[in-house]
């Protein structure tokens, strides 16, 4: 994919597919008056599962600073709002890299 138009087209198509799956999910769920609590709990867990699947391999394979920062972020997320936990993670990785870890 050396052609810039191919990259742009790929990004646009991926955006359309992503938007389509979101709209399709909303359309399917809107057909039901009530959603079973187990289904709702499973749907609520999807964003966390996706973020974990994306972040964990990178955090565990890049270096000790990133691994420790990921652990600090997880621990902070247990008590703090998401933005604050993210700030803790960013500060942790920046501080650890500054220290040469």
């Amino acid at each position: 994919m050396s052609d810039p138009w191919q990259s742009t087209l790929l990004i646009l198509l991926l955006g359309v597919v992503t938007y389509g799956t979101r709209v399709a999910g909303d359309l399917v769920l809107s057909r039901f008056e009530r959603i079973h609590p187990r289904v709702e709990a499973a749907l609520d867990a999807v964003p966390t599962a996706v973020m974990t699947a994306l972040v964990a391999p990178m955090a565990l394979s890049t270096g000790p600073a990133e691994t420790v920062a990921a652990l600090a972020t997880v621990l902070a997320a247990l008590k703090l709002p998401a933005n604050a936990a993210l700030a803790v993670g960013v500060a942790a990785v920046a501080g650890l890299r500054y220290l040469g870890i």
Side-chain angles (χ1 to χ4, degrees), residues 11-61:
I11 291 169
L12 289 173
L13 287 174
L14 289 173
V16 168
V17 169
T18 300
Y19 183 74
T21 57
R22 292 180 62 100
V23 169
D26 286 340
L27 290 174
V28 168
L29 290 177
S30 69
R31 298 189 66 136
F32 299 100
E33 286 183 26
R34 291 181 349 139
I35 299 173
H36 193 276
R38 287 187 180 183
V39 173
E40 189 171 357
L43 291 173
D44 287 342
V46 168
T48 304
V50 169
M51 289 302 295
T52 302
L54 292 174
V55 172
M58 184 176 53
L60 297 175
S61 66

